[in-house]
Amino acid sequence: MSNLAVLPIIIPLLSGIILAFFPKKLTLVRSLAKVFITINLLVSGYILFTVYTTGSIILETGAWPAPYGIILVADSLSILLVFTTNIIAAACAFYAPHSLSDKKEQYYFYAFFFFLITGVSGAFLTGDIFNLFVFFEVLLMASYALIVLGGDKVQLRESIKYVLINLFSSILFVTAVAFLYAAVGTVNMAQIALRVQEVDQQGILTTIGILLFFVFATKAALFPLYYWMPSPYVKPNPVISALFGALLTKVGIYSIIRVFSLIFIYKIDLTHEVFIWIAGLSMIFGVIGALSTNNIKLIIAYNIIPAIGFIIMGIGVFNETAVSGSVYYLIHDMIIKAALFLIAGTVAYVAGTSDLRKFSGLIHYYPVLGWLLFVSAFVLAGIPPFSGFIGKLLLLTGALSDDEIAIVIIGLISSLLILYSIMKIFIKGFWGVKDESFEPKSIKGLTGPIAFLVAISVFLGVGAEFIYPSIENISTYLLDPEIYIDSVLKE
Amino acid sequence: METLIIVLAGVLVSAATYLLLSRSVIRVILGTAILSHAAHLLIISMGGLKTGAVPILGKEVSSFTDALPQALILTSIVISFAVTAIMLVLAIRAYQKLGTDNLLKLRGFNDD
């Protein structure tokens, strides 16, 4: 029963190993990848259902009791994120065969794809801070291989930057774990939380907390540590961009949510107040980036930064409404970013360029794609009744009830500019003069996965009444670390 | 003893930072290697450098050194070894394709 918690890690790991044996047999590999990811999606859906009906699943690996062994914690937040990850991965697995060249697929694309999912699921599920570092490395190592897959000049240049910044922040992570171990003498998150609570979070612990925040903020691309992010994310194939944009930065933000709702919560006026400022600056600089460029993929990549800003703002405000807004916005943003990266990739594929000034009138040839982009822009910007609206409404209500007026105004203005930056793609690329010399390319198989993701995000907004109670439960759960500590240490 | 090791780790970190900010790719990779050495030294000293026997059971001694930081370092060493290998291969590929190892000259290959 408690072994369920390891399945979302084991299934993709085994799938990746199996698929690494016969990379050249593409038909077999493609169908096996689809089957495996569907199994994983169904299994994580079942675990999600179990967690919501019977409570968190705690797995002590190797039957060592909690603080001594590594534990896996499938609580309501982490399993929801694992399920969302698998939805995105499934859409990407069905999109990939139509988008990647045969040669790239033969060079172990599916194996690395599954290792990436392994790392992401593991990072969400683990209850041990050093194990979190190891799963970070698992997903980063797979992402290094994916980002350079194909080996273009631009990819090589961007991957050097990407590997360097991630290596640097990983070493800082190890350093932070070393300091934390010296201060509290354990690497188990629940026991760290307990000990930090006992010593009332002295100055050194707050310093370590800020060091950890620095590490996770680099992974999550927050202001002022986002400078490495936009360019490496758009150079590889759209599927890879979608996986990166939807999953990698969100693992960083999940770690921030976990660490700053469980461990470092006793000096809120110092740490969490800083988050609000960083959130505001991320929103401002992210939208400036998104407005500054005519490259459609870069527009989407820059839009990751304000979204991360919105999520961190909820953690900064740290009341129940704002935290549930953060969780809602996190789920919504993972799905819609994957959809938008796939749409931008498809548009760049059919137009032959990602420069917005070089094509127009695509709506005459690709009406479905055009309207999917239109709906996604509304979802992202937060037009009611779509999912972005409910997340932002909760976040801004939460911030208002704490009298953070400045951040609310920045949030509203940046939402407007986000809408403008995406609608620019629609207005310039899809409307406008019909290009008579344009030769339409087939996008068979590409729109299906996009439509699937957009449909889910529309459901997240329209079916909010159905989803909201569980999000609210997660938020009360996050605001009371005692529940987590008790469930893990069984005291 | 801890103080000495901490000072040594600090020296390594400053050397690594200086190398990371240089232009040549190889110097940058050397910087990351030195930085990971510093981190590993830091872990071992943060676990405490009290004298005790090596953590192997069967010795007739009253105290052992802390075994957990050693396991953490071992994990971290293989990970940073793998990443350094990737970095070196990337540097070679980049040198072959782009014809330079100067990070400032890695510009102007825009595809769009």
Side-chain angles (χ1 to χ4, degrees):
Chain A
M1 172 57 200
S2 66
N3 284 339
L4 275 177
V6 83
L7 287 179
I9 304 173
I10 286 289
I11 296 173
L13 180 63
L14 288 178
S15 318
I17 293 171
I18 292 170
L19 293 180
F21 278 110
F22 34 82
K24 307 281 175 194
K25 293 182 178 138
L26 274 184
T27 4
L28 181 64
V29 168
R30 282 172 187 158
S31 36
L32 272 182
K34 286 173 188 167
V35 172
F36 287 149
I37 199 69
T38 317
I39 293 173
N40 200 20
L41 179 64
L42 294 175
V43 167
S44 53
Y46 172 71
I47 303 170
L48 180 71
F49 177 74
T50 320
V51 168
Y52 276 100
T53 45
T54 60
S56 311
I57 301 175
I58 315 283
L59 173 63
E60 289 159 344
T61 53
W64 288 93
Y68 305 111
I70 287 172
I71 53 155
L72 298 176
V73 185
D75 58 14
S76 41
L77 174 63
S78 54
I79 198 65
L80 185 61
L81 289 169
V82 168
F83 185 63
T84 317
T85 303
N86 279 303
I87 290 176
I88 291 157
C92 288
F94 281 88
Y95 185 95
H98 304 280
S99 169
L100 287 159
S101 64
D102 283 3
K103 201 167 180 201
K104 284 185 185 174
E105 279 179 285
Q106 280 173 354
Y107 277 95
Y108 303 96
F109 168 77
Y110 291 102
F112 287 126
F113 167 80
F114 277 109
F115 292 144
L116 185 76
I117 307 300
T118 313
V120 173
S121 307
F124 286 145
L125 287 172
T126 186
D128 182 294
I129 204 149
F130 194 78
N131 196 232
L132 178 67
F133 161 73
V134 174
F135 276 119
F136 258 116
E137 289 304 307
V138 171
L139 73 92
L140 286 174
M141 210 76 88
S143 76
Y144 300 156
L146 286 175
I147 204 167
V148 80
L149 189 69
D152 293 344
K153 285 182 174 179
V154 193
Q155 273 178 305
L156 279 167
R157 181 190 63 192
E158 298 302 332
S159 61
I160 287 182
K161 276 200 263 173
Y162 178 77
V163 176
L164 253 181
I165 192 77
N166 277 304
L167 181 54
F168 181 73
S169 67
S170 294
I171 294 174
L172 275 187
F173 194 177
V174 176
T175 316
V177 172
F179 283 136
L180 199 56
Y181 180 69
V184 297
T186 176
V187 284
N188 179 297
M189 286 202 231
Q191 208 184 8
I192 294 173
L194 196 64
R195 292 200 173 158
V196 170
Q197 188 186 30
E198 278 162 4
V199 298
D200 199 29
Q201 195 177 338
Q202 291 157 2
I204 182 71
L205 287 167
T206 310
T207 315
I208 297 169
I210 289 168
L211 184 59
L212 271 178
F213 174 74
F214 184 85
V215 171
F216 296 138
T218 314
K219 311 263 188 206
L222 270 166
F223 175 88
L225 304 160
Y226 65 86
Y227 48 84
W228 59 273
M229 194 272 289
S231 192
Y233 271 30
V234 299
K235 298 305 179 197
N237 191 277
V239 187
I240 299 166
S241 301
L243 283 170
F244 283 19
L247 303 179
L248 296 195
T249 52
K250 307 306 186 291
V251 182
I253 206 80
Y254 162 80
S255 310
I256 293 178
I257 295 180
R258 185 58 90 197
V259 166
F260 286 93
S261 71
L262 179 67
I263 301 173
F264 303 108
I265 47 168
Y266 305 100
K267 292 279 186 290
I268 285 186
D269 47 337
L270 188 67
T271 49
H272 291 51
E273 193 64 35
V274 177
F275 292 176
I276 297 180
W277 286 105
I278 289 176
L281 289 165
S282 302
M283 289 175 201
I284 294 170
F285 281 82
V287 287
I288 288 176
L291 292 174
S292 70
T293 174
N294 275 310
N295 182 329
I296 49 174
K297 292 179 179 174
L298 266 183
I299 293 176
I300 312 290
Y302 270 113
N303 266 312
I304 294 176
I305 302 163
I308 298 283
F310 272 108
I311 301 167
I312 197 78
M313 161 190 153
I315 303 302
V317 175
F318 211 57
N319 60 28
E320 197 169 318
T321 327
V323 172
S324 51
S326 276
V327 175
Y328 204 100
Y329 204 83
L330 180 58
I331 307 291
H332 138 83
D333 193 62
M334 284 169 83
I335 292 175
I336 197 63
K337 280 286 143 52
L340 276 168
F341 268 109
L342 293 181
I343 291 172
T346 316
V347 172
Y349 166 70
V350 294
T353 170
S354 48
D355 192 335
L356 207 49
R357 288 165 295 192
K358 290 187 184 152
F359 61 93
S360 65
L362 285 182
I363 197 95
H364 298 287
Y365 299 100
Y366 304 103
V368 179
L369 191 62
W371 294 114
L372 281 174
L373 174 64
F374 188 77
V375 173
S376 319
F378 273 25
V379 172
L380 185 71
I383 310 284
F386 296 119
S387 53
F389 171 71
I390 294 146
K392 275 177 191 162
L393 181 70
L394 290 167
L395 283 167
L396 298 179
T397 325
L400 263 185
S401 69
D402 264 23
D403 289 329
E404 304 281 357
I405 308 291
I407 192 76
V408 173
I409 294 168
I410 294 173
L412 288 172
I413 293 173
S414 71
S415 301
L416 195 67
L417 295 175
I418 288 168
L419 180 65
Y420 172 67
S421 70
I422 303 284
M423 282 319 249
K424 202 167 81 173
I425 304 178
F426 187 75
I427 292 168
K428 284 194 181 169
F430 280 87
W431 284 353
V433 200
K434 185 177 176 183
D435 189 353
E436 293 298 341
S437 65
F438 185 75
E439 288 170 15
K441 294 174 189 159
S442 161
I443 52 167
K444 187 174 158 288
L446 294 176
T447 37
I450 300 173
F452 170 69
L453 287 175
V454 173
I456 287 177
S457 13
V458 169
F459 169 74
L460 270 180
V462 178
E465 296 243 326
F466 173 68
I467 297 160
Y468 181 65
S470 44
I471 301 281
E472 205 177 18
N473 280 342
I474 295 177
S475 147
T476 27
Y477 170 81
L478 282 177
L479 287 174
D480 187 5
E482 296 295 332
I483 309 174
Y484 182 95
I485 297 171
D486 288 348
S487 67
V488 171
L489 296 177
K490 301 206 174 66
E491 282 166 345
Chain B
M1 189 63 195
E2 275 92 345
T3 322
L4 196 65
I5 298 292
I6 296 292
V7 171
L8 179 58
V11 171
L12 286 178
V13 169
S14 27
T17 314
Y18 178 73
L19 284 172
L20 280 174
L21 295 174
S22 61
R23 288 178 193 177
S24 158
V25 180
I26 294 296
R27 282 166 73 93
V28 171
I29 297 173
L30 283 175
T32 61
I34 293 175
L35 192 62
S36 60
H37 280 314
H40 299 155
L41 262 183
L42 191 73
I43 302 179
I44 202 89
S45 52
M46 284 290 137
L49 295 171
K50 297 163 206 80
T51 44
V54 285
I56 301 172
L57 286 178
K59 289 204 161 87
E60 301 292 320
V61 286
S62 53
S63 72
F64 294 101
T65 47
D66 193 351
L68 185 72
Q70 305 188 10
L72 300 187
I73 289 178
L74 201 55
T75 316
S76 179
I77 284 173
V78 287
I79 289 173
S80 59
F81 173 69
V83 182
T84 310
I86 291 182
M87 276 297 289
L88 285 168
V89 173
L90 270 181
I92 291 171
R93 286 290 292 164
Y95 181 68
Q96 285 170 343
K97 270 214 151 175
L98 310 172
T100 176
D101 75 332
N102 188 332
L103 283 170
L104 289 181
K105 287 185 185 159
L106 290 178
R107 290 180 190 172
F109 309 103
N110 275 326
D111 56 342
D112 42 28

